[in-house]
Amino acid sequence: METGSPADAGATETEPVWTGLPPGLLRMRRLLLVVWLGLLAPAVGLLPGLLAGPVWAAFALLPLAAMAWGWVLLGRNWRSWRYAERADDLLISRGVLWREETVVPYGRMQLVEVTSGPVERYFGLASVQLHTAAAATDAAIPGLDPAEAERLRDRLTELGEARSAGL
């Protein structure tokens, strides 16, 4: 008696190996959340408190509630990001409520960039931006370790050149 269909057996062999984003990206995003909403809370509470009375200073609780909600949402969003390198393409998956999976064939890649802004550099992070022939399929992987971002850029560039040689 057969336990599964042949399609099921093939699915386990070709299952991609997913890599998640490093925790530094989550730390950076949460710190930015705390800084911006932490600065907003006294401003939102102080102005109404001085102009309309101390009861109105309770408006300072709104940014603090948004901070708590954002803290949880940032964690869920960070956990949803992952990527996988396969033989012919790169998979990028993200999203909590609306899952989005992007498949970028190596042969279609035209440019692979590694970028790192000042805040990212401070946290030791870099992003990989993939540009393809179709603008709709451009993709990015944020918050990688710079060494991993450079390794990925070099590998994707090498595979892209090898795959596009036949076009």
Side-chain angles (χ1 to χ4, degrees), residues 61-104:
L61 296 176
L62 293 175
L64 296 176
M67 187 185 310
W69 184 53
W71 188 275
V72 172
L73 291 181
L74 284 173
R76 290 183 65 192
N77 178 268
W78 171 76
R79 281 189 299 277
S80 76
W81 275 87
R82 58 192 186 153
Y83 65 96
E85 300 172 60
R86 296 194 305 185
D88 295 322
D89 51 29
L90 176 73
L91 300 176
I92 302 170
S93 179
R94 64 194 168 279
V96 177
L97 291 178
W98 286 273
R99 297 278 312 149
E100 185 175 329
E101 192 166 292
T102 304
V103 180
V104 184

